[in-house]
Amino acid sequence: MPYHAPLTDFDLILRHVVPLAPVQATDRFAEATEDMRQAILTEAGRMCEERLAPLQRQGDLHPAHLDNGVVRTSPGFADGFRAIAEGGWIGMSADPEYGGMGLPMMLATAVNDMLSGSCLAIQLAPLMGQGQIEALENHASDEIKARFLPKLISGEWAGTMNLTEPQAGSDVGALRTKAEPLGDGSYAITGQKIYISWADNDFTENVCHLVLARLPDARPGTKGISLFIVPRHIPDADGNPGERNDLRVVSLEHKMGLHGSPTAVMEYSGAKGWLVGEPHDGMRAMFTMMNNARLGVGVQGIGVAEAATQAALSYAMERKQGRSPIQNGTGTIIDHADVRRMLATMRADTFAARAIAFACAQAIDLAHATGDAGWEARAALLTPIAKAFGTETGIRVAELGVQVHGGMGYIEETGAAQYSRDVRVTAIYEGTNGIQAMDLVGRKMMDGGEAMAALLDEVESHAEGLRGSLPALAEPVWQASETLRETVESLAEQGDLNARFAGAVPFLMGFARVLGGHYHLKAAESEGADSARGRLARFYIERLLPEHASLLAQASAGAEALYALSPEDLGA
């Protein structure tokens, strides 16, 4: 399907809304100049438009399948992955010592956005590799780094993560996979894992699995979990793939969407692996990978939202139906108020979600570059918001895209339904959005709401400064931020954690609504209230931002009404 890289959006955000400049000003990222930024995003955008977008329908119509124990990938996917690998896009943010570019996460986020919009099924493969690379960089021994990182960064080898087991689901602490010492520094890994994205392929020399397992002396729960790297082929003395390891793909799942991305049940039968990090400290190491992946998954939603919006807009500007209700209209359905409303919602929410993701990436970059605790707290705070709001935006926007197409949206040939089917899983994997919201009102409020207050100080200060020049836009953002601040303070004082959890999802979405207003206001400030961006900001602030009030009211309602309903009541 046609896809156009949103370079204009990236340029606006990285210059004025969530600027790259503070990151470029650090010693760590001083080489990420403005010229480099433009060259990288232009080249990545060209690859996505020309090499990956044509694979979108191929993966859906010709799914990956299992052939005598070997995963056969969709037509063209091998060439697509090679294009990603040869461009260096897998290791954009990786350590240059092992072949990475060492570029900011902000640029990697933009590239992942485009990869997701052009073909989400194939983008999952490098995303898994990126998460594994970061986990190894931060936790693995020098020996493991030297053996695995260069191959993962180059794309010669692929990476996965193996957390979930049939009996455990999101309760990772209930896993049963065992790790037995072999006496030579390696371990025999035995167990079964499910929902493993890109667990195998037919285009890389090797596939390396990060596997959570228990050592013989492990205690129950998450504090008894260790992390191991388990390759499909055991590297020989020269670092090349050697003998086949004792692991296999049992089956591939039959999924609602993402047919081009193989999702496997994996069986480990005494497979050889190596410990990553310290014994019984696997969750800390795995969370390094998962946090990277959570931002990446949020960006997946945004990329699909972009592609769905482009497809819906193209259709609306061509489809003629009924009489135009406005003078000098186009004569197509985009003249109709409700179609215009849907398209404006799609574009405005995509921009808001994209800006939030870039703000999260900026905080990650500045935390890495400066070691400042404030930036670390900001990154931790924004990660669940970026993941949940990005994916919810992808789902809502793709659904609206089907509606804009009308009856043709329900016909598979248009491709509109595929966006909706593909993106739906993003709200589930890498921690469901409910878990993200519980993290936001739980762990992220353990500081009494201090990190949230610091962010809201910036939002209010910016809106306060624009009350004179952009009063119609700045005042509602300031007021919404005040309502959010009051809710944060109330929840921080709420001692009953389950009462917080009862309103966690509305709280997260209300928080995102306010942040979206803040970033739209910054865009309007940059380009003027009468510009296209200013008009889009007006739409968001007038029509979407007011949702924050009802969302935050739900967040403060507590759990009593939920538990007043018995299971029998719910079945009535």
Side-chain angles (χ1 to χ4, degrees):
M1 278 176 268
Y3 169 81
H4 303 289
L7 299 179
T8 303
D9 247 25
F10 295 148
D11 189 67
L12 171 64
I13 292 173
L14 293 175
R15 285 180 183 272
H16 303 293
V17 179
V18 186
L20 181 62
V23 174
Q24 293 170 325
T26 65
D27 291 339
R28 178 165 181 160
F29 298 115
E31 295 183 6
T33 63
E34 190 63 23
D35 287 345
M36 179 183 285
R37 172 185 76 81
Q38 293 184 10
I40 284 174
L41 298 190
T42 299
E43 184 60 32
R46 182 181 300 113
M47 177 194 66
C48 290
E49 293 173 354
E50 298 176 359
R51 303 286 298 276
L52 302 186
L55 303 178
Q56 170 78 352
R57 289 296 283 158
Q58 287 289 334
D60 196 51
L61 297 173
H62 306 285
H65 63 280
L66 197 58
D67 179 14
N68 291 323
V70 177
V71 171
R72 303 297 182 190
T73 55
S74 302
F77 272 42
D79 289 338
F81 185 84
R82 275 193 290 271
I84 296 169
E86 290 170 2
W89 308 121
I90 298 173
M92 281 188 67
S93 297
D95 190 341
E97 180 180 350
Y98 299 100
M101 295 188 190
L103 292 172
M105 182 62 70
M106 293 185 79
L107 296 185
T109 293
V111 172
N112 280 332
D113 186 325
M114 293 185 282
L115 291 172
S116 302
S118 56
C119 183
L120 180 59
I122 200 167
Q123 187 269 348
L124 259 173
L127 180 68
M128 293 294 97
Q130 289 169 349
Q132 186 169 121
I133 288 164
E134 185 167 5
L136 295 181
E137 284 181 345
N138 284 277
H139 301 284
S141 66
D142 290 342
E143 180 183 358
I144 287 177
K145 289 179 185 179
R147 181 183 299 176
F148 290 96
L149 282 177
K151 300 286 191 180
L152 290 165
I153 289 169
S154 69
E156 295 170 77
W157 296 358
T160 77
M161 66 163 94
N162 287 235
L163 290 78
T164 309
E165 297 184 7
Q167 80 290 343
S170 296
D171 182 12
V172 179
L175 69 82
R176 298 172 184 162
T177 298
K178 300 184 298 182
E180 299 281 348
L182 293 175
D184 61 356
S186 67
Y187 297 79
I189 310 300
T190 302
Q192 189 177 87
K193 300 288 184 177
I194 62 173
Y195 305 147
I196 310 307
S197 298
W198 280 100
D200 198 18
N201 68 68
D202 53 4
F203 50 70
T204 61
E205 295 177 350
N206 209 350
V207 178
C208 305
H209 304 281
L210 279 183
V211 183
L212 290 178
R214 293 188 186 281
L215 292 166
D217 61 344
R219 70 173 76 173
T222 57
K223 293 184 179 180
I225 297 174
S226 301
L227 181 64
F228 301 85
I229 187 161
V230 188
R232 182 180 68 190
H233 288 84
I234 300 169
D236 62 20
D238 297 321
N240 298 312
E243 65 176 287
R244 175 84 188 201
N245 212 346
D246 202 351
L247 55 85
R248 67 190 183 98
V249 175
V250 175
S251 63
L252 297 184
E253 304 292 358
H254 300 281
K255 300 178 295 184
M256 175 180 176
L258 282 182
H259 297 150
S261 170
T263 301
V265 175
M266 291 292 298
E267 186 75 35
Y268 296 87
S269 305
K272 188 185 242 353
W274 290 267
L275 182 67
V276 175
E278 298 298 320
H280 317 306
D281 196 28
M283 286 304 295
R284 188 170 68 91
M286 184 60 88
F287 264 111
T288 299
M289 183 173 188
M290 289 175 65
N291 283 332
N292 175 295
R294 283 171 175 172
L295 172 58
V297 170
V299 171
Q300 287 182 335
I302 296 161
V304 174
E306 176 66 46
T309 300
Q310 291 183 16
L313 179 60
S314 176
Y315 182 81
M317 293 180 70
E318 295 173 356
R319 173 65 169 164
K320 293 186 177 182
Q321 185 171 320
R323 180 182 299 174
S324 176
I326 58 175
Q327 287 187 337
N328 303 317
T330 66
T332 64
I333 62 172
I334 201 170
D335 292 347
H336 296 281
D338 192 55
V339 173
R340 191 73 63 94
R341 175 194 64 81
M342 289 189 286
L343 290 167
T345 299
M346 294 166 77
R347 176 54 63 202
D349 260 352
T350 300
F351 180 86
R354 180 173 280 141
I356 291 171
F358 274 113
C360 183
Q362 182 196 56
I364 291 170
D365 286 333
L366 290 172
H368 287 164
T370 67
D372 182 82
W375 284 117
E376 291 176 358
R378 176 71 56 86
L381 168 62
L382 289 176
T383 295
I385 300 175
K387 193 277 183 184
F389 188 67
T391 57
E392 293 290 348
T393 294
I395 292 166
R396 288 196 308 271
V397 167
E399 182 180 315
L400 283 172
V402 172
Q403 191 72 17
V404 169
H405 280 79
M408 292 305 296
Y410 204 66
I411 305 301
E412 287 289 352
E413 283 77 3
T414 65
Q418 184 186 343
Y419 291 125
S420 187
R421 289 187 288 104
D422 284 355
V423 78
R424 185 61 186 84
V425 71
T426 61
I428 299 171
Y429 60 27
E430 301 311 329
T432 67
N433 287 356
I435 289 174
Q436 304 302 318
M438 292 164 67
D439 176 53
L440 184 65
V441 301
R443 186 177 292 107
K444 300 307 188 291
M445 276 192 170
M446 289 176 67
D447 64 353
E450 183 178 333
M452 294 180 184
L455 179 54
L456 292 177
D457 287 344
E458 294 178 19
V459 173
E460 290 189 10
S461 176
H462 180 256
E464 181 75 33
L466 294 177
R467 274 176 159 167
S469 56
L470 295 172
L473 302 180
E475 183 63 27
V477 171
W478 190 92
Q479 293 290 349
S481 182
E482 268 296 287
T483 303
L484 177 55
R485 185 188 294 277
E486 292 168 3
T487 307
V488 169
E489 292 171 352
S490 175
L491 290 180
E493 294 174 358
Q494 170 60 265
D496 182 354
L497 199 57
N498 204 42
R500 288 194 210 171
F501 290 164
V505 169
F507 175 75
L508 185 150
M509 298 303 291
F511 207 128
R513 272 278 167 255
V514 175
L515 291 179
H518 171 58
Y519 295 124
H520 270 287
L521 179 59
K522 294 188 78 170
E525 176 191 20
S526 170
E527 302 205 346
D530 294 329
S531 68
R533 297 292 179 172
R535 291 189 290 272
L536 188 66
R538 176 186 173 190
F539 172 83
Y540 182 96
I541 290 170
E542 287 185 358
R543 302 290 293 268
L544 301 181
L545 179 61
E547 293 176 1
H548 82 279
S550 62
L551 289 165
L552 296 179
Q554 294 176 61
S556 302
E560 184 177 349
L562 293 179
Y563 290 99
L565 289 163
S566 68
E568 291 74 19
D569 293 336
L570 296 174

